[in-house]
Structure formats: C-alpha cells, structure tokens
Amino acid sequence: MAKTVSKANQSQGMLMFTLNQSKQLFAIGTLKVREIVPYQPTTQIPYSHHHVVGTVSLRGKTIPVINMPAAIGFRPIQPEEYDSCYLIVTDCLRTIVAFMVRSIEKIIECDWKSIEATPQTAGNDVFVTGITRYQDNIVQMLDVELLLSKIYPQYESTNIPMLTDIERERLKALSILLVDDSSIARKQLSDALDSINIPYLICNNGLDALALMREKAAQGSPIELLVSDIEMPGLDGYELAFETQNESDLSNSYIILHTSLSSEICTERAKQVGAHEALEKFNAGDLISAMLRGAKTLEQNVAQTSHIS
C-alpha cells in the first residue's frame, strides 16, 4: 500500500544570525520576522528593562530594541559596537520588538524534520528549542517566546476565564493533549488548565505527540482534544494535524492549533490540513473558549453517531 504523502507545508524559512564574536549561528523562523534593518540610534526609556537599549521609530511605530546576546546570557553588545549591528524586527506574542544582533548571515529553507529537539538534560529555562545543521555548522533555534517572557513578565500572567460547573465538567470528561516546544508556552498552557482543575497530557514536540496519540488510541482511550503549537522541530503543528486527520483511529480528535505569529495565512493553512481552529498564542480566554467549542462539537458528533446507530 502506497504511503500517503502529507500536503502540509514541511519546510520553514530560517533567518540565521550571530550574537557573539565566535560567530556561533542562531536562527528564528522567518514568519516571525517583519523586516531587517541596520542599527539605528535609539531613544532611551527611563526604568525600562536593562536588556532594552531604547526605542526606534520605524514606519510610524515606536519599537523597543532588545540587546539579544545579553537577553540570552551572552556578553552584551557594547554601545561602541552598535553601529555595525542589525535589528531584526519581529511580530510575536501580539507585540512588535526589534532584536539587536551582531550580524545577519542568510535565510535558508529548513525542513522541520531535520531539527532536533533540545535535550531535556539541558534544563528548563534554555532559550534554544531545537538544533539543526547548515554546511557542517550547528544552528540553534531560539525560543523567542521564552526570551520575551523574561523581559516582559506580563506575558506569563493571563486572565483565566470563569467556568460554570457544567463547562468545567464538560472539559474534565475529555482526554486532552497539549503540544508545544516552548517551555514558557507549555507553562502557560498547563497553568491555564491547572487553574480550572482540568486534567491533560503534555508533549514538547509533534513526533512524541503523534506517538502518544497512536498509543492512546490502541489502548481504547484516544485523545479527543488536541491543542498544538504550529512551529515545532521534528513534526510541526500542520503536519501533526494532517497526520491525525489522515489516520482513522485518530481522526475524531478536535484540533486547535496555536501560534505566536500574527498572520491570516496560518489560519487558512491550519484549516487546509484539517485543524478545526487556529489561535494566536497566548490568551487563556480564547483557548478555553475554543476548547469548549471543541467539547460541544465532540458531544454533537457522539449524539449523531448514536442516532445513526
């Protein structure tokens, strides 16, 4: 029997850059990048975070500039070095910031399947979500969400919606799987459900999630509600959604994809691969509302199946 080839987008552009003088390569997904500009003089902000060097005005917007090497624990770029640096303007977690880096290398197409997840032994607060290689050089994928959460702690606090007893029990009855390669995003997801006493399982990449879903289905307790990040090493959210919908034992799951990207393209692509919803992360209210819609849809599906039987 011929193997079905997934129609989901398997490649993702990666912007490579350097942060230290050893020219070690780092990267972020190009979908997070709005533009790249040479360093521009900044206006300092009183009482701002010590890694924020100031703000710049670009295209009518005032944008904070973050000294990225300093933010992840390297030697900070010094003021006398600023003029030779670049600003990567990103749109992530519903906000626009500019990261100052030492040099821009190039943009490459990288298959997410070739990205290795960061070893769990590296620790919980590591700013690297995955590792790949380019021309025999190691490239480390940075966790932009975790980095921003350290500078702007308000990203870690979200308003948890109040649920009725009926809504809470509706969710508690479901087998829920959360998937995200970002440690801060996993914490946000788990905190949201822990706060309303909803049980769940959690994975830090798509490959482990797919294996777990197959295992649970074989045990007769399939995952009913899948909440997954889109950008992940090994198997991204689009691929995970497609593979889930493509396997009969898994296809009854209600799939919610979430992303730090602000793009309608993500929503359209999510629907193309079989996801039921796509959300910008992270808003606990939006997530819980989507999960309640999923619970209602699953209940209706069960009722229709029972009626047909």
Side-chain angles (χ1 to χ4, degrees), residues 164-213:
T164 65
D165 290 340
I166 293 176
E167 289 174 331
R168 183 177 291 105
E169 292 306 313
R170 177 176 284 170
L171 289 180
K172 287 180 71 173
L174 297 177
S175 175
I176 300 172
L177 175 61
L178 310 177
V179 191
D180 204 301
D181 65 318
S182 167
S183 59
I184 186 63
R186 289 197 301 274
K187 184 177 186 302
Q188 289 172 330
L189 290 167
S190 58
D191 284 352
L193 295 191
D194 287 343
S195 68
I196 53 178
N197 196 28
I198 303 299
Y200 57 87
L201 299 171
I202 195 163
C203 290
N204 61 11
N205 64 75
L207 288 172
D208 287 350
L210 184 59
L212 178 60
M213 292 184 73

Side-chain angles (χ1 to χ4, degrees), residues 230-270:
I230 289 178
E231 291 186 292
M232 296 184 294
L235 191 75
D236 67 22
Y238 296 129
E239 282 280 326
L240 178 58
F242 182 87
E243 298 300 337
T244 298
Q245 290 297 297
N246 197 46
E247 296 189 22
S248 59
D249 289 344
L250 312 180
S251 60
N252 291 326
S253 299
Y254 190 90
I255 303 172
I256 302 170
L257 296 184
H258 61 91
T259 176
S260 59
L261 309 174
S262 301
S263 172
E264 292 181 359
I265 297 175
C266 296
T267 304
E268 294 173 0
R269 189 175 297 160

